[in-house]
Each structure stands twice: as structure tokens, then as C-alpha cells.
Amino acid sequence: KVRKEIDRQHYCNGTKHSQNLKVADMLDNIPGIVLCDPEFAPVYLEEKRQLLWSLTKADADLRAKAEYLINQMYLILGH
């Protein structure tokens, strides 16, 4: 939890460009984690949701896509 909080602080201080890259990376990685490790996926999804809330400089449409994807992955997992 401490490491994730340090990561969040780092990313929230980033530029709009770096935050957009992080959200794009999340969009790319989330489906694979859910498919390959459904046991860990809920923990991962919650970490990504919390990080997403910190990425306030990122493009709003990109953030909305990531939030939608996270919600869809929770549905797939039955949560």
C-alpha cells in the first residue's frame, strides 16, 4: 500500500502528457491482468481506479474510457 501511494503521488505530479500515457498503459494492461490472473484482478483494478482518480490532468475522455473498462472488468469478474 505504501508503494502504491508513492506511485500515486508521483503520477499526480506528472504532466498532462505523462498522465495520458499512464492511462493509455492502464487501458492496455487491464484486460490482460483480468484474463490471466482473475484472483489478483480485483486488487489490481482497485489500485488502478485509485490511481485514475489522481490523474486529474489526463484527458477526460481517456479517463472515462479507463473508468468504463474497470467497471466492465468488475462485471466480468462477478463483482
Side-chain angles (χ1 to χ4, degrees), residues 9-22:
Q9 290 301 317
H10 173 76
Y11 288 119
C12 79
N13 292 321
T15 64
K16 179 178 181 160
H17 179 73
S18 68
Q19 289 189 11
N20 284 338
L21 287 174
K22 186 60 186 169

Side-chain angles (χ1 to χ4, degrees), residues 2 7 19 23 27 34 47 54-55 62 68 70-71 76:
V2 172
D7 285 348
Q19 289 189 11
V23 176
L27 287 166
V34 170
E47 290 173 354
S54 299
L55 302 177
L62 198 58
Y68 178 79
I70 290 168
N71 290 335
I76 287 170

